[in-house]
Amino acid sequence: MATTATPTDTAIDVRDLVVERGGRRVLDGVSCAVGRGTVTGLLGPSGSGKTTLMRAVVGVQTIRAGRVTVLGRPAGSPALRRTVGYLTQAPSVYADLTVRENARYFAALHGRGRAEADRAVADVGLADAAGQLVATLSGGQRSRASLACVLVGRPELVVLDEPTVGQDPVLRAELWTRFHAMAAEGTTLLVSSHVMDEAARCDRLLLVREGRLVADDTPAAVRARTGTDDLEEAFLRLIRASEDHPPDRRAPHPQRPDDTRAAQRRRPGREETS
Amino acid sequence: MSPRILAATTGRILRQLRHDRRTVVLLVVVPTVLLVLIHAMYADQPTPPGQRSLFDQVALVMLGFFPFVVMFLVTSIAMLRERTSGTLERLLTTPLRRLDLLFGYGIAFGLAGAVQAGIASAAAYWLLGLRTAGSIRLVVLIAAVNAVLAVALGLLCSAFARTEFQAVQFMPVVVLPQVLLCGLFVPRGQMAGWLQAISDVLPLSYAVEALQEVGAHAEPTGLMWRDLVIVAGSAVVALVLAAATLRRRSG
């Protein structure tokens, strides 16, 4: 299949990214890099800009300024449509088709066969529901059906927006095992989450808050820097630190840290301001 | 365009339709029921001297209307669903090209429209005694091309609707004026000049004229083929315009 123009160790390179939506700055000068074959967690409260950052990486977001390079090409390049897979937060599959029919369609778009589609369905634990209409599935099953339609293309870079929402703990663990198996085979994964115990499973963490990058480090380094083993507590400390020393002319945030903690524990709404 | 992706997309749209049994039944049955109604309405109307019976005139044009109206609505809603459910955005991140999607809709719903027209025509000719000088095959062909035109207009209009309510409102805006001015109610030659001018730029007028040519002549006429080319050409123009409304990037 398609090879990338400049084979380097960097899968995603974001430089000074600014995105404005409806007159509001959603991303305010974000710079970060994601290495190939890693699982990178994108964390932050609802509305922090996670989805917008992912959309910019996939190339579907209009950007105001900055540069996003993906697998050596500008984000959104036609060649990347074969190598980048994107799971939107709301499951975007056809409700009036069965799980199998959905997977086979997306497989066909990537030139993959029916056997591969059926395997992708089994890989997300939906083999028993393959013949079921998506409309009749539970929320968690639906989002796994959507995931199957991403994985069936065997992308080099997988961008997953909240893939484990609504999944039971056993399935969540299985999905993470699968993500790491994919990374071991060279796939790069960028995964957003609200759940802090998932942060610990990532090779690297990006913490976004109010459109800015608060942390970009390994879980171990984050723990060491903040002096706590609890990643949730670590993030709170990082956020407090960033509020004590605001990096620009922004007004102090009205939200108290305690609210942030509550927001991170809350079940995320289906529709994040994306 | 990629033949493989186009075929997969067409198949996917037809599979979606197949899962919706009630819609399939309605598509097939409703035109026939309405034709029976029209037949009963005109049963006692005298035939104007030297002309074909009123039922023959009206039913023939109706065979073109059914797929036009129905496929416009079905397509507007289907495409709006693609936009609102996120599947469109997802499709645009895959190797699928925009014309693969739009022609996929054109072929899938064009086929559905052809099946609908075929069944309605069979009922009109063999159940209700519709008579035309030309062949039933030409009638179905014109109705099928008309269905493709409706699909293309539906795809284009769905770009300007944010909700299903709005999408449905495009029916009276886009379809009804074409029905009123196509020459069924008042012959185009008897309309005021400005109405004729409007009628001349509405593609349905040419579909109706083509059907009337089949009604009046045993062999396909040059005018019929010209009209058919105009209808098909309008469909392609609408599809290309619809492609321009599909944006890969959004704010």
Side-chain angles (χ1 to χ4, degrees):
Chain A
M1 291 305 294
T3 49
T4 48
T6 50
T8 61
D9 291 341
T10 310
I12 304 172
D13 187 37
V14 178
R15 287 289 143 235
D16 308 317
L17 178 63
V18 177
V19 175
E20 287 180 356
R21 304 187 68 221
R24 202 173 70 87
R25 222 160 237 227
V26 185
L27 290 179
D28 194 5
V30 170
S31 295
C32 59
V34 169
R36 278 180 194 252
T38 60
V39 181
T40 302
L42 183 56
L43 298 130
S46 190
S48 57
K50 299 192 299 291
T51 297
T52 306
L53 181 54
M54 293 188 137
R55 282 170 48 86
V57 167
V58 177
V60 296
Q61 177 67 51
T62 314
I63 64 176
R64 176 76 198 236
R67 190 163 45 83
V68 183
T69 311
V70 174
L71 303 172
R73 295 171 194 270
S77 300
L80 292 177
R81 284 178 213 139
R82 304 184 176 282
T83 50
V84 177
Y86 174 41
L87 177 76
T88 51
Q89 196 174 358
S92 43
V93 276
Y94 296 100
D96 47 1
L97 289 181
T98 65
V99 176
R100 189 185 291 121
E101 286 169 335
N102 268 292
R104 285 183 177 178
Y105 176 52
F106 285 98
L109 295 184
H110 286 97
R112 316 274 185 221
R114 296 175 152 221
E116 280 185 84
D118 294 348
R119 204 175 316 133
V121 170
D123 280 346
V124 297
L126 282 178
D128 291 340
Q132 233 175 297
L133 285 180
V134 167
T136 66
L137 300 179
S138 71
Q141 286 177 315
R142 235 184 245 223
S143 95
R144 274 183 283 144
S146 198
L147 180 61
C149 293
V150 174
L151 301 184
V152 77
R154 277 196 268 122
E156 283 178 46
L157 168 66
V158 189
V159 179
L160 305 174
D161 201 350
E162 309 256 2
T164 58
V165 169
Q167 309 296 350
D168 74 63
V170 177
L171 270 166
R172 230 155 36 106
E174 279 175 19
L175 287 175
W176 276 95
T177 306
R178 165 125 207 91
F179 296 161
H180 281 287
M182 289 166 63
E185 289 166 14
T187 307
T188 309
L189 294 99
L190 179 63
V191 185
S192 78
S193 177
H194 273 74
V195 192
M196 286 301 150
D197 68 354
E198 292 188 342
R201 298 176 185 265
C202 297
D203 300 322
R204 199 168 183 91
L205 298 173
L206 299 171
L207 177 64
V208 189
R209 185 172 151 76
E210 310 230 319
R212 290 179 163 273
L213 207 57
V214 178
D216 175 2
D217 231 325
T218 63
V222 168
R223 288 193 186 101
R225 204 167 110 201
T226 51
T228 170
D229 275 349
D230 180 0
L231 274 175
E232 180 149 357
E233 178 59 30
F235 281 137
L236 274 175
R237 290 183 188 178
L238 284 171
I239 287 166
R240 281 192 195 118
S242 76
E243 280 174 347
D244 291 343
H245 309 283
D248 65 346
R249 68 274 173 221
R250 268 166 182 257
H253 305 302
Q255 201 177 27
R256 282 173 296 122
D258 300 39
D259 296 337
T260 313
R261 183 166 203 161
Q264 283 172 353
R265 278 195 180 141
R266 252 200 323 263
R267 261 286 138 85
R270 286 241 68 88
E271 295 290 331
E272 182 180 354
T273 39
S274 49
Chain B
M1 273 196 290
S2 139
R4 170 176 52 82
I5 291 179
L6 178 62
T9 303
T10 307
R12 184 266 293 177
I13 296 163
L14 286 173
R15 243 167 250 126
Q16 285 180 286
L17 188 59
R18 202 187 56 196
H19 281 296
D20 189 349
R21 295 266 165 78
R22 192 174 300 177
T23 294
V24 172
V25 170
L26 288 170
L27 282 179
V28 167
V29 173
V30 170
T32 304
V33 172
L34 291 177
L35 282 169
V36 169
L37 199 69
I38 292 166
H39 188 256
M41 276 164 59
Y42 286 103
D44 296 329
Q45 296 287 319
T47 301
Q51 285 186 24
R52 299 186 302 123
S53 79
L54 283 172
F55 171 74
D56 282 355
Q57 291 184 40
V58 173
L60 177 60
V61 174
M62 285 295 159
L63 290 176
F65 280 181
F66 294 133
F68 187 72
V69 174
V70 173
M71 291 307 144
F72 177 82
L73 278 175
V74 167
T75 310
S76 310
I77 301 288
M79 193 61 190
L80 191 73
R81 276 196 206 155
E82 291 258 23
R83 288 174 195 275
T84 53
S85 69
T87 48
L88 178 64
E89 183 169 90
R90 173 179 222 163
L91 288 178
L92 294 178
T93 67
T94 71
L96 169 132
R97 286 169 191 267
R98 291 178 289 185
L99 285 182
D100 290 326
L101 179 66
L102 296 173
F103 278 80
Y105 269 106
I107 295 170
F109 286 148
L111 273 175
V115 169
Q116 183 184 49
I119 292 169
S121 302
Y125 277 85
W126 295 313
L127 197 68
L128 304 172
L130 171 66
R131 263 174 220 160
T132 52
S135 153
I136 180 175
R137 287 199 198 118
L138 289 172
V139 172
V140 176
L141 172 69
I142 295 166
V145 175
N146 215 20
V148 175
L149 170 67
V151 173
L153 291 174
L155 291 171
L156 179 58
C157 288
S158 82
F160 303 100
R162 298 218 176 276
T163 66
E164 263 115 343
F165 285 170
Q166 292 176 8
V168 171
Q169 292 308 316
F170 277 105
M171 215 278 276
V173 172
V174 175
V175 173
L176 278 188
Q178 303 205 50
V179 169
L180 291 175
L181 294 175
C182 73
L184 176 68
F185 299 100
V186 177
R188 276 152 43 85
Q190 294 171 23
M191 288 179 194
W194 63 278
L195 284 175
Q196 257 189 66
I198 297 175
S199 173
D200 283 348
V201 296
L202 298 177
L204 186 65
S205 306
Y206 297 92
V208 168
E209 189 175 64
L211 286 169
Q212 287 168 338
E213 286 291 294
V214 177
H217 303 280
E219 293 301 316
T221 62
L223 184 62
M224 187 212 84
W225 289 121
R226 187 211 68 169
D227 286 343
L228 201 57
V229 168
I230 291 176
V231 175
S234 307
V236 171
V237 170
L239 282 175
V240 171
L241 287 176
T245 68
L246 299 183
R247 292 256 163 275
R248 286 186 195 271
R249 267 178 205 273
S250 57

